[in-house]
Amino acid sequence: MHKFFALFLALGAVAVQVRAAEDHAIDTLKAAKLGSFMELIEGAGATAAFSNEKARVTLLAPTDEAFAAFLKEMGLTKEELMADADLADKIVAYHTVIGVTAGERTRGWAS
């Protein structure tokens, strides 16, 4: 199972953090055009949790290209992955850091 997650992350990910108090993770994913990961969150049944404006999370969201490469490497279709809610949930959890966002840890670092 670790092979799935390591490959998924290695193929490319974007750290998505909520930048404004009125934003939440789903809005940020939409703005970053990371639709495949957003669909995975929906498949995992976690949309409501990530739509909460008070949720303090950083998502290490794979790009759509990385998502497609992962599916190809694993021999899965998007539909097969979405149908496996347990696997979808594990992948979403693996790419989620709960608590302090990266922005709070790196504030003040040189750009």
Side-chain angles (χ1 to χ4, degrees):
M1 187 62 79
H2 293 289
K3 177 180 171 184
F4 284 113
F5 303 130
L7 179 63
F8 206 33
L9 190 58
L11 288 172
V14 176
V16 175
Q17 64 186 26
V18 177
R19 297 197 181 271
E22 65 275 1
D23 290 342
H24 52 71
I26 298 299
D27 285 342
T28 307
L29 287 171
K30 286 178 185 176
K33 298 183 180 165
L34 297 171
S36 294
F37 193 69
M38 196 168 70
E39 289 178 39
L40 187 64
I41 288 173
E42 292 168 3
T47 303
F50 288 107
S51 295
N52 183 339
E53 293 173 0
K54 295 182 181 181
R56 306 292 295 164
V57 298
T58 295
L59 295 175
L60 304 174
T63 63
D64 289 347
E65 294 80 13
F67 195 91
F70 165 76
L71 293 173
K72 182 177 178 181
E73 180 70 25
M74 294 296 111
L76 293 171
T77 65
K78 187 185 284 188
E79 292 74 25
E80 290 170 331
L81 176 57
M82 298 304 176
D84 188 341
D86 184 53
L87 180 57
D89 182 60
K90 287 177 182 175
I91 293 171
V92 169
Y94 184 81
H95 288 85
T96 304
V97 179
I98 304 293
V100 179
T101 62
E104 291 174 334
R105 292 180 185 221
T106 59
R107 199 173 324 273
W109 287 12
S111 297

